[in-house]
Amino acid sequence: MAGLIASVSGGWNGIIRKRRYWSMFGIFAIVLFFGYSLFILSTEYDRVSKIINFLKPNKNSEQENNEEVHLDPFIAELQAKYKPTLHRIDNSTFVTREGYKYTVNDTNHYFTEPLGKRLLILDADSRLETEPGHMLAPPPLTHEDIKRGTAGMMNHFLYAMIHGYDYRLVKSPKDPSRHGTWSKVPLIREALKTHDFVVFLDSDANFQYYNLPYEWLMNLWGVNGDTLAAMPEDPNSKVNQDSNGWVLWNTGFVTAQQSERTQDMFDRWDNCPSGERYKECKHWAFDWAHEQAAFGAFVRYEYEVGKDLIAISCMDGNGASYIGDKKCGGVFVSHHWGDKDRTIKQLYDRLDGHSVEELHRHFHENQETYYINAEKHTYPIKDLTI
Ligand SMILES: *[C@@H]1O[C@H](CO)[C@@H](O)[C@H](O)[C@H]1NC(C)=O
Ligand SMILES: *[C@@H]1O[C@H](CO)[C@@H](O)[C@H](O)[C@H]1NC(C)=O
């Protein structure tokens, strides 16, 4: 009897145990299934979301529209003020103040829509101070106090705000191993990790037409999907040529487009003075013209000019109208190497003192957006989010 009961109970136990096995197996299978699905979803997520984003029509203009809703009232007012005067991106011709007619080539209408915040106007300096007249000084910024460099930066900031571009002023870290002008190279590279286009300008270079969108200028200069970077030629004199007699390009005004190849090009450029890739490059760490000479003498030779790289004429993007050499008129972007006070004069010629103060006040009140103190970063700069 006891044996029977034992065997029966053993039988029940066996059945219960089997059921437990089955239900455990079931739970295990469900967990496995969900786990696997999650794994697939997570690995495919990037790809799938890219495809979905790609299929969505006008994703960027949608984003821009959303941003417009949250546009700062000061900027909204500023944009509304300039809107009636803006030159259309698709208008092929532009007539300058002097009456010269510029026409975009029929094959160069690559940009048709505003780039908005995908385009960054970038300023950088290691010597940013808070004394009166400087960009970082507390308001008001007065005509009496304003410094030349500040006037240049205010020109860049205003241009960015009018067109809805992004803007950053970066306090760059000092690098004891090379001259300060080199810092623009890693900064542009880092900025290209968060922006599709970066336009860097020295503080003595300024935009001549607030109403002319940068997309229009890039069409004029033939920038398209293949372009890695565009820079203006220097005045063609012996001191501005590389050892082969090829005129250098001015790195005080750099337009760069995000791509893996662009990142690679900026790495080569930034590493030039190490002498690893280009043996003769070491001395450009401190010898003038620093990063400009390094790019001209080595880096640009590895790329196709006219396709990867674009040389903007000195007339369009370097010098200024009052400079003797009439080949460098600075028509669209002037570079006032001869008379740096011109940035101040031109700022107040085109904007009254009150508006300058208001614009600077807006910069000051939104410094967490527009200003990055990268002073404490060390070289090589990596993962500085601009
Ligand atoms: C294009 O711009 C010029 C000014 O440079 C203007 O005179 C002309 O009317 C514009 N054309 C169109 C179609 O908007
Ligand atoms: C535009 O066309 C002219 C004449 O065909 C040519 O000389 C010039 O290089 C072209 N410019 C660009 C940016 O493609």
Side-chain angles (χ1 to χ4, degrees):
M1 235 357 228
L4 185 65
I5 289 169
S7 85
V8 166
S9 70
W12 279 113
N13 277 347
I15 288 164
I16 289 166
R17 217 179 288 139
K18 264 184 204 150
R19 277 209 188 139
R20 223 182 261 151
Y21 281 147
W22 277 109
S23 58
M24 270 168 67
F25 178 74
I27 289 168
F28 182 68
I30 289 167
V31 166
L32 201 68
F33 174 75
F34 276 107
Y36 183 67
S37 309
L38 272 176
F39 172 73
I40 291 294
L41 272 175
S42 66
T43 54
E44 290 291 285
Y45 179 78
D46 270 353
R47 211 169 64 84
V48 171
S49 65
K50 262 182 205 146
I51 292 169
I52 290 171
N53 282 338
F54 179 74
L55 292 175
K56 264 194 217 160
N58 292 331
K59 183 195 153 218
N60 287 309
S61 57
E62 259 175 38
Q63 276 181 347
E64 243 97 73
N65 289 343
N66 288 342
E67 273 167 22
E68 263 171 40
V69 176
H70 306 292
L71 204 57
D72 182 285
F74 175 79
I75 298 303
E77 199 179 309
L78 181 85
Q79 290 186 353
K81 190 177 132 203
Y82 280 90
K83 198 169 182 189
T85 68
L86 292 188
H87 194 76
R88 289 175 57 104
I89 297 173
D90 61 4
N91 183 344
S92 298
T93 58
F94 178 77
V95 181
T96 67
R97 289 186 200 97
E98 295 79 17
Y100 294 111
K101 187 173 162 186
Y102 275 80
T103 306
V104 176
N105 285 2
D106 285 342
T107 51
N108 287 350
H109 290 279
Y110 182 75
F111 299 95
T112 56
E113 298 287 330
L115 289 165
K117 301 256 183 284
R118 294 168 60 199
L119 188 151
L120 174 75
I121 306 282
L122 177 64
D123 279 328
D125 201 327
S126 62
R127 300 154 305 182
L128 293 167
E129 296 162 28
T130 51
E131 309 301 312
H134 288 268
M135 205 64 185
L136 297 184
L141 177 67
T142 65
H143 195 160
E144 293 76 59
D145 290 337
I146 198 168
K147 304 291 179 217
R148 301 152 160 182
T150 309
M153 289 173 187
M154 288 295 287
N155 166 284
H156 309 162
F157 184 57
L158 173 60
Y159 183 76
M161 295 303 108
I162 290 171
H163 296 280
Y165 304 139
D166 213 356
Y167 176 85
R168 291 291 179 279
L169 168 62
V170 179
K171 184 168 192 175
S172 47
K174 293 199 173 87
D175 184 349
S177 72
R178 50 181 73 177
H179 191 276
T181 58
W182 270 98
S183 69
K184 63 170 72 80
V185 181
L187 292 181
I188 297 170
R189 183 193 60 208
E190 293 308 297
L192 283 171
K193 292 175 180 169
T194 45
H195 297 81
D196 293 340
F197 295 87
V198 173
V199 181
F200 169 89
L201 299 109
D202 278 351
S203 64
D204 58 351
N206 61 2
F207 293 104
Q208 292 301 301
Y209 294 95
Y210 292 141
N211 64 328
L212 201 50
Y214 206 72
E215 295 84 355
W216 190 90
L217 285 171
M218 290 198 287
N219 281 341
L220 178 71
W221 295 327
V223 174
N224 61 35
D226 293 330
T227 311
L228 309 185
M231 295 170 214
E233 289 177 333
D234 255 353
N236 200 352
S237 60
K238 196 84 190 128
V239 291
N240 290 330
Q241 292 169 355
D242 70 10
S243 57
N244 295 320
W246 187 7
V247 69
L248 294 176
W249 298 349
N250 196 290
T251 53
F253 170 34
V254 180
T255 301
Q257 177 169 209
Q258 163 54 18
S259 74
E260 269 177 41
R261 292 186 67 219
T262 312
Q263 286 290 322
D264 185 54
M265 182 178 80
F266 273 80
D267 278 338
R268 289 179 194 194
W269 189 4
D270 196 24
N271 293 330
C272 193
S274 74
E276 282 162 27
R277 189 178 183 90
Y278 315 105
K279 279 203 182 61
E280 310 294 320
C281 191
K282 279 186 178 162
H283 72 108
W284 295 125
F286 285 105
D287 286 348
W288 187 83
H290 322 133
E291 84 292 345
Q292 176 164 308
F295 189 85
F298 301 103
V299 185
R300 67 174 166 175
Y301 281 91
E302 299 204 78
Y303 295 88
E304 194 181 327
V305 177
K307 187 167 177 285
D308 300 325
L309 300 175
I310 288 176
I312 299 165
S313 73
C314 202
M315 191 62 182
D316 287 5
N318 203 353
S321 56
Y322 56 86
I323 289 173
D325 181 348
K326 292 294 175 212
K327 289 181 184 137
C328 294
V331 171
F332 298 110
V333 173
S334 292
H335 203 159
H336 304 282
W337 6 265
D339 177 5
K340 292 180 193 260
D341 281 339
R342 289 280 174 150
T343 55
I344 300 177
K345 185 175 179 329
Q346 291 191 343
L347 180 69
Y348 289 93
D349 278 353
R350 292 161 198 174
L351 201 64
D352 62 82
H354 175 71
S355 301
V356 173
E357 278 184 27
E358 288 298 296
L359 185 67
H360 177 257
R361 193 180 301 278
H362 173 76
F363 172 85
H364 193 80
E365 286 168 359
N366 295 278
Q367 277 197 38
E368 72 283 1
T369 306
Y370 301 128
Y371 171 61
I372 295 172
N373 186 351
E375 198 175 24
K376 297 276 189 298
H377 279 254
T378 51
Y379 292 88
I381 293 181
K382 289 231 160 64
D383 303 320
L384 168 65
T385 306
I386 298 176

